[in-house]
Amino acid sequence: MHLTRRTLALAVPAALATLIGAAPASRPAAARTDRHDPKPTIVLVHGAFADASGWSGTIRRLQRAGYPVLAPANPLRGLAADTAYLRSVLAAVDGPVVLVGHSYGGAVISGAAVGDSRVKALVYIAAFTPDRGESAAELAARFPGSTLGDTVNPQSYPVPGGGTGTELVIERTKFHGQFAADVPTADAAVMAAAQRPVATTALEEKSGEAAWRTIPSWALIATADKNIPPAAQQWMARRAGSHVTEVDASHAVAVSRPAVVTHVILAAARATR
């Protein structure tokens, strides 16, 4: 017994020393796994007659899920200029990106993602998905159902270098029914007051190369949309080969149905990992 206890007394510290010495070797492996699979940054791009606050419900949900999120202001001055601005925003983002566009923002993300290998997925929320040579105005008019033209007012604004341009706003008294019919009246009134006008040139300018031809895409179709006809949304989504989800919602689907919007974005984000 004396020999056995002495043997154990010597063996146990030696075994512990072996285990302690081996432990640090496993830590770097775990750290490498964490660094190898970062969550993509979700970049949310609003469209015409809106601002980034329309993404608030979606942003909160994405942040709770642990995703970094950016929702820059879309200038709404011209498709080429707005696309260049979004590219400058993306240049400051580290790691992979999921680009999300609402309405006219869909045309902007389609151009901004071209040639950017960090953009892993495109998500179109009640959005335009143009191909080369197409404009938002042309696509909206291709199918019946939009009543936007009866609700907008043109107004002049100064352009750099002199002269004036024309921009559109939705009449405040018509905003609720046209843009956000399923949003509470008081909230729609705030949205109408905060809407950002879009230059007519932005809606009429033709798109360049389309990133959805090389990048996987997801589309949420708002079936009660009065701005972009649902039939147009469906046709564009099918053409792009997008993963399609439909929801009974107005054009302001990100405000009225943020949980559904978040679900579609998370599906795209998880498919990139």
Side-chain angles (χ1 to χ4, degrees):
M1 288 295 294
H2 175 70
L3 290 174
T4 302
R5 287 175 184 157
R6 188 168 184 275
T7 301
L8 288 172
L10 293 171
V12 170
L16 287 173
T18 299
L19 289 172
I20 293 170
S26 64
R27 293 191 192 111
R32 282 194 299 271
T33 299
D34 293 340
R35 289 194 301 268
H36 178 71
D37 194 21
K39 287 184 175 179
T41 297
I42 313 297
V43 179
L44 306 166
V45 182
H46 69 80
F49 316 112
D51 63 17
S53 67
W55 296 112
S56 296
T58 303
I59 292 171
R60 284 192 292 269
R61 287 168 171 81
L62 290 171
Q63 288 177 335
R64 283 199 296 266
Y67 285 85
V69 184
L70 284 177
N74 186 355
L76 305 178
R77 297 294 84 178
L79 184 55
D82 296 342
T83 298
Y85 175 75
L86 180 56
R87 285 198 187 107
S88 73
V89 172
L90 297 177
V93 177
D94 292 327
V97 171
V98 171
L99 263 182
V100 184
H102 172 243
S103 190
Y104 164 76
V108 178
I109 69 170
S110 290
V114 172
D116 192 336
S117 61
R118 296 170 307 127
V119 178
K120 304 302 182 183
L122 300 167
V123 183
Y124 296 92
I125 305 297
F128 291 107
T129 313
D131 202 354
R132 177 187 286 277
E134 296 175 340
S135 70
E138 172 193 345
L139 288 167
R142 185 171 293 185
F143 294 84
S146 176
T147 55
L148 180 63
D150 297 329
T151 68
V152 294
N153 285 328
Q155 54 191 32
S156 296
Y157 71 96
V159 297
T164 60
T166 301
E167 62 185 13
L168 302 175
V169 294
I170 298 177
E171 294 181 38
R172 292 186 185 184
T173 57
K174 298 179 179 179
F175 188 95
H176 189 193
Q178 175 62 39
F179 195 94
D182 54 355
V183 173
T185 302
D187 293 338
V190 172
M191 293 171 64
Q195 68 173 298
R196 297 190 51 213
V198 60
T200 56
T201 53
L203 300 178
E204 295 166 355
E205 192 172 339
K206 295 185 181 301
S207 296
E209 186 177 348
W212 51 260
R213 289 194 171 276
T214 57
I215 300 174
S217 62
W218 281 252
L220 179 62
I221 310 300
T223 60
D225 197 328
K226 295 181 180 179
N227 276 29
I228 306 176
Q233 295 178 41
Q234 292 161 347
W235 178 80
M236 289 184 285
R238 285 196 301 269
R239 179 179 66 174
S242 302
H243 304 273
V244 174
T245 300
E246 295 189 357
V247 62
D248 182 15
S250 72
H251 192 61
V253 59
V255 179
S256 64
R257 304 293 294 275
V260 179
V261 171
T262 303
H263 176 77
V264 174
I265 295 171
L266 288 177
R270 288 165 180 158
T272 70
R273 306 186 73 199

PDB file of all heavy atoms in Angstrom, residues 41 96 98 136 153 155 169 198:
ATOM      1  N   THR A  41     -21.922  42.095 -42.642  1.00  0.00           N
ATOM      2  CA  THR A  41     -22.564  43.367 -42.327  1.00  0.00           C
ATOM      3  C   THR A  41     -23.783  43.512 -43.233  1.00  0.00           C
ATOM      4  O   THR A  41     -23.698  43.323 -44.450  1.00  0.00           O
ATOM      5  CB  THR A  41     -21.604  44.543 -42.561  1.00  0.00           C
ATOM      6  OG1 THR A  41     -20.498  44.428 -41.668  1.00  0.00           O
ATOM      7  CG2 THR A  41     -22.307  45.874 -42.310  1.00  0.00           C
ATOM      8  N   PRO A  96     -17.456  40.482 -45.230  1.00  0.00           N
ATOM      9  CA  PRO A  96     -18.561  40.219 -46.160  1.00  0.00           C
ATOM     10  C   PRO A  96     -19.761  41.128 -45.911  1.00  0.00           C
ATOM     11  O   PRO A  96     -19.958  41.647 -44.807  1.00  0.00           O
ATOM     12  CB  PRO A  96     -18.913  38.753 -45.878  1.00  0.00           C
ATOM     13  CG  PRO A  96     -18.462  38.519 -44.476  1.00  0.00           C
ATOM     14  CD  PRO A  96     -17.231  39.361 -44.296  1.00  0.00           C
ATOM     15  N   VAL A  98     -24.097  41.800 -46.926  1.00  0.00           N
ATOM     16  CA  VAL A  98     -25.376  41.500 -47.548  1.00  0.00           C
ATOM     17  C   VAL A  98     -26.039  42.842 -47.845  1.00  0.00           C
ATOM     18  O   VAL A  98     -26.251  43.651 -46.938  1.00  0.00           O
ATOM     19  CB  VAL A  98     -26.276  40.641 -46.640  1.00  0.00           C
ATOM     20  CG1 VAL A  98     -27.685  40.526 -47.223  1.00  0.00           C
ATOM     21  CG2 VAL A  98     -25.674  39.260 -46.436  1.00  0.00           C
ATOM     22  N   ALA A 136     -36.194  52.583 -63.537  1.00  0.00           N
ATOM     23  CA  ALA A 136     -37.263  52.297 -62.578  1.00  0.00           C
ATOM     24  C   ALA A 136     -38.619  52.710 -63.141  1.00  0.00           C
ATOM     25  O   ALA A 136     -39.612  51.987 -63.017  1.00  0.00           O
ATOM     26  CB  ALA A 136     -36.979  53.016 -61.262  1.00  0.00           C
ATOM     27  N   ASN A 153     -46.322  65.283 -56.623  1.00  0.00           N
ATOM     28  CA  ASN A 153     -46.213  66.658 -57.082  1.00  0.00           C
ATOM     29  C   ASN A 153     -44.772  66.934 -57.480  1.00  0.00           C
ATOM     30  O   ASN A 153     -43.851  66.602 -56.730  1.00  0.00           O
ATOM     31  CB  ASN A 153     -46.616  67.646 -55.978  1.00  0.00           C
ATOM     32  CG  ASN A 153     -48.119  67.703 -55.781  1.00  0.00           C
ATOM     33  OD1 ASN A 153     -48.874  67.520 -56.735  1.00  0.00           O
ATOM     34  ND2 ASN A 153     -48.545  67.956 -54.563  1.00  0.00           N
ATOM     35  N   GLN A 155     -41.558  69.434 -58.072  1.00  0.00           N
ATOM     36  CA  GLN A 155     -41.070  70.717 -57.576  1.00  0.00           C
ATOM     37  C   GLN A 155     -39.617  70.886 -58.024  1.00  0.00           C
ATOM     38  O   GLN A 155     -38.924  69.914 -58.296  1.00  0.00           O
ATOM     39  CB  GLN A 155     -41.194  70.818 -56.055  1.00  0.00           C
ATOM     40  CG  GLN A 155     -40.543  69.690 -55.282  1.00  0.00           C
ATOM     41  CD  GLN A 155     -40.919  69.691 -53.802  1.00  0.00           C
ATOM     42  OE1 GLN A 155     -42.022  70.086 -53.423  1.00  0.00           O
ATOM     43  NE2 GLN A 155     -40.005  69.266 -52.964  1.00  0.00           N
ATOM     44  N   VAL A 169     -42.502  64.565 -54.849  1.00  0.00           N
ATOM     45  CA  VAL A 169     -42.930  64.231 -53.491  1.00  0.00           C
ATOM     46  C   VAL A 169     -44.355  63.704 -53.570  1.00  0.00           C
ATOM     47  O   VAL A 169     -45.128  64.097 -54.458  1.00  0.00           O
ATOM     48  CB  VAL A 169     -42.874  65.443 -52.529  1.00  0.00           C
ATOM     49  CG1 VAL A 169     -41.448  65.897 -52.312  1.00  0.00           C
ATOM     50  CG2 VAL A 169     -43.726  66.593 -53.050  1.00  0.00           C
ATOM     51  N   VAL A 198     -37.430  62.454 -54.543  1.00  0.00           N
ATOM     52  CA  VAL A 198     -36.545  61.774 -55.488  1.00  0.00           C
ATOM     53  C   VAL A 198     -36.484  62.594 -56.767  1.00  0.00           C
ATOM     54  O   VAL A 198     -37.509  63.076 -57.268  1.00  0.00           O
ATOM     55  CB  VAL A 198     -37.025  60.336 -55.773  1.00  0.00           C
ATOM     56  CG1 VAL A 198     -38.427  60.316 -56.374  1.00  0.00           C
ATOM     57  CG2 VAL A 198     -36.036  59.604 -56.673  1.00  0.00           C
TER      58      VAL A 198
END
